[in-house]
Amino acid sequence: MEFAELIKTPRVDNVVLHRPFHSPVWGTLCLTGHHLILSSRQDNSEELWLLHANIDSIEKRFVGTSGTITIKSKDLRIIQLEISGMEECLNIASSIEALSTLDSVTLMYPFFYRPMFEVTENGWSLFLPEQEFEQLALETEDWRLSSVNRDYSVCLSYPQLVTVPKSIDDDSLRKVAAFRHAGRFPVLSYYHKKNGMVMMRSSQPLTGTNGKRCKEDEKLINATLKHGKRGYIIDTRALNVAQQARARGGGFEQEAHYPQWRRIHKSIERFNILQESLIKLVEACNDQSHNMDRWLSKLEASNWLTHIKEILTTACLAAQCIDREGASVLVHGSEGMDSTLQVTSLAQIILDPRCRTIRGFESLVEREWLQGGHPFQQRCAQSAYSNSKQKWEAPTFLLFLDCVWQILRQFPCSFQFNERLLITLYEHAYASQFGTFLGNNDYERNKLKLSQKTLSLWSWVNQPSEINKFLNPLYEANGLVIWPSVAPQSLQLWEGVFLRWNRSSKYLEEAYEEMAHIIEYNKELQVKVNALRRQLAELETEDGVLETP
């Protein structure tokens, strides 16, 4: 198929662009196979480049012979195009609708994108399972890298290489996979260097109503326990939901078969409930009534911050079991591809200082989300504005990023990266020129040959000219575990995502200026703190132990 067949009118002059808090811009509108472009000859006006893949919905309105097209994007932007001439307006609208709903992945922009920068690092080869395992092997000899899934026949949503207990052979893994939903058998997610405890993830066991068991599954899970230790199974479903799953062939681990493990149920919502929550939240943020009671009521009704609290609470529980209880943990829900990944990822950010660096965070996203089998293509097919019927869409990854932002806000000096990196990942998960978030799992990405035909997002982010934009000037390496507060008053709406298009550029400029002053003040304060530390150290050297006055 040629893109030209879908573009009825490739260019229209005298189009007026309307955006909140911006003056109208007159210019020429052009449609290409992947972009909507509006360029103006006005001084100091930027060109608008919008990926068709970023368009969530469009609305048409006609007055006389002219029309207005309202475009709502997956990044929550809303723009209006005023076009004189009904035929041109109709042609532009139908072309945009066709180009923004292409079925074939191979027609998407990442397959056509050619970078304007020199690629100095191949992002596709940065975080391979073999490299991650090398780091693990320096700490423990109890685990091995298995290629049981090298042809994806054991589990379609797992990568070809997975880390499993050394004492469990591949034949046993195949039997365990047959006992777990969609073959997602327990694999290593995180090793805690401090005490040797681990966190694993999987999908639900297929116990059914008859209480089916699998000796190999029991052996695999118990292989992670040290002598005399107990473990915790954190099920991200409410107990009644897990019990109902038994009637459909699913279920949970029976205490009688897993006596060394204590099962804890924590309810984390998913799928349509989360999508509806996002829709309600965005509707509240776009409310123009300026009524405080109405705003607060809508914000509460969206339940978005409640979902944040539930996810963070469960992640803190997992981290607490590992660090404070000295116990290993297995996390799963139903499929193990949504709430499970939220919990395992956030627990690592709490426990592991490496995950709070830029490279460490990239590795975490690659390992837990991309290689871990989160179906990005399905979950991010629609955002908050789409009028089409929901299928598998859910803001699972956005919720995870929001949780990270909440922790970053509470510990502003413990993260090497800033909010901008989180927003960038959110935007590229929904629409991108890079192939990183295409496909639903490692199998699909290999089949599409993305590493050969597209560029990785990490290749761009890690450029010296770009990475500085993502650095947090307040960062000071913190090797400690950080415990975020999940109290309601500690959680805030992420304005950088949900209100950024609803604020004037002047407001943003003032906010950035204020941030620059704060950063400068903190630098001066840090110099004084360091000087005091040196003085204290000198006193301790001279007088022995310094007594607190």
Side-chain angles (χ1 to χ4, degrees), residues 213-450:
R213 66 185 293 190
C214 174
K215 293 285 184 67
E216 290 78 9
D217 188 83
E218 296 161 23
K219 183 181 177 183
L220 190 161
I221 293 176
N222 287 330
T224 66
L225 294 179
K226 293 188 176 181
H227 181 70
K229 290 286 186 178
R230 292 176 61 84
Y232 290 89
I233 297 172
I234 298 179
D235 193 324
T236 60
R237 303 167 294 178
L239 177 58
N240 65 314
V241 174
Q243 289 172 335
Q244 291 167 9
R246 296 172 66 184
R248 299 188 295 274
F252 49 84
E253 294 81 2
Q254 300 286 336
E255 288 88 343
H257 303 152
Y258 301 85
Q260 292 173 272
W261 293 81
R262 179 187 169 193
R263 195 177 71 251
I264 303 172
H265 289 272
K266 302 294 287 185
S267 177
I268 297 178
E269 299 292 355
R270 58 199 191 106
F271 294 147
N272 62 316
I273 293 176
L274 297 182
Q275 189 69 9
E276 286 296 327
S277 178
L278 175 64
I279 291 168
K280 289 179 180 178
L281 175 63
V282 173
E283 181 186 325
C285 292
N286 290 335
D287 192 316
Q288 301 296 318
S289 65
H290 304 293
N291 183 297
M292 179 61 79
D293 291 338
R294 180 185 172 95
W295 153 247
L296 293 174
S297 176
K298 282 193 167 189
L299 179 61
E300 183 181 10
S302 74
N303 282 323
W304 185 263
L305 292 177
T306 302
H307 299 316
I308 295 289
K309 183 179 186 298
E310 290 169 350
I311 296 165
L312 278 174
T313 300
T314 309
C316 286
L317 173 64
Q320 184 176 351
C321 290
I322 292 168
D323 187 69
R324 293 185 173 175
E325 299 290 328
S328 289
V329 170
L330 169 65
V331 183
H332 72 71
S334 296
E335 292 85 4
M337 297 187 292
D338 291 278
S339 57
T340 298
L341 305 183
Q342 290 172 328
V343 173
T344 58
S345 301
L346 290 167
Q348 290 179 62
I349 286 172
I350 292 168
L351 293 169
D352 188 0
R354 176 173 169 255
C355 293
R356 298 173 224 144
T357 64
I358 291 180
R359 284 294 177 113
F361 188 68
E362 290 172 353
S363 173
L364 179 72
V365 171
E366 185 74 37
R367 185 176 67 250
E368 292 296 294
W369 291 87
L370 293 161
Q371 296 170 15
H374 180 66
F376 280 97
Q377 198 82 38
Q378 291 179 350
R379 297 291 184 268
C380 300
Q382 299 175 16
S383 186
Y385 296 125
S386 178
N387 298 317
S388 57
K389 188 177 180 181
Q390 295 176 23
K391 294 178 183 177
W392 303 106
E393 294 80 11
T396 310
F397 188 61
L398 174 56
L399 271 165
F400 159 68
L401 294 174
D402 198 330
C403 288
V404 176
W405 177 79
Q406 302 286 345
I407 304 174
L408 189 156
R409 193 183 58 79
Q410 293 183 29
F411 297 89
C413 299
S414 295
F415 288 79
Q416 187 188 24
F417 55 87
N418 57 27
E419 174 190 33
R420 189 168 185 170
L421 179 63
L422 302 177
I423 295 173
T424 298
L425 291 179
Y426 154 62
E427 291 175 338
H428 285 273
Y430 280 88
S432 179
Q433 66 267 44
F434 305 105
T436 302
F437 292 107
L438 289 182
N440 292 305
N441 47 55
D442 194 60
Y443 166 73
E444 290 187 11
R445 293 184 190 100
N446 266 334
K447 191 176 179 182
L448 290 167
K449 298 180 178 178
L450 293 183

Side-chain angles (χ1 to χ4, degrees), residues 403-520:
C403 288
V404 176
W405 177 79
Q406 302 286 345
I407 304 174
L408 189 156
R409 193 183 58 79
Q410 293 183 29
F411 297 89
C413 299
S414 295
F415 288 79
Q416 187 188 24
F417 55 87
N418 57 27
E419 174 190 33
R420 189 168 185 170
L421 179 63
L422 302 177
I423 295 173
T424 298
L425 291 179
Y426 154 62
E427 291 175 338
H428 285 273
Y430 280 88
S432 179
Q433 66 267 44
F434 305 105
T436 302
F437 292 107
L438 289 182
N440 292 305
N441 47 55
D442 194 60
Y443 166 73
E444 290 187 11
R445 293 184 190 100
N446 266 334
K447 191 176 179 182
L448 290 167
K449 298 180 178 178
L450 293 183
S451 61
Q452 302 166 37
K453 297 183 177 181
T454 71
L455 193 67
S456 166
L457 173 64
W458 313 131
S459 297
W460 172 69
V461 168
N462 292 328
Q463 287 183 95
S465 59
E466 292 296 329
I467 203 166
N468 287 332
K469 299 174 185 176
F470 304 119
L471 289 174
N472 173 13
L474 301 180
Y475 175 64
E476 186 173 350
N478 175 10
L480 301 175
V481 175
I482 55 176
W483 298 103
S485 169
V486 295
Q489 57 268 38
S490 298
L491 305 178
Q492 294 187 9
L493 178 68
W494 190 4
E495 294 183 25
V497 166
F498 299 110
L499 295 178
R500 63 174 167 158
W501 307 115
N502 299 5
R503 299 179 294 193
S504 68
S505 56
K506 183 180 178 183
Y507 171 89
L508 290 173
E509 286 171 12
E510 290 174 354
Y512 285 130
E513 279 181 23
E514 185 64 27
M515 178 60 74
H517 290 313
I518 292 171
I519 290 168
E520 197 58 40

Side-chain angles (χ1 to χ4, degrees), residues 61-69 81-87 89:
R61 184 168 55 87
F62 297 97
V63 178
T65 58
S66 65
T68 301
I69 299 175
L81 300 173
E82 194 178 307
I83 301 172
S84 56
M86 187 177 293
E87 184 180 352
C89 188

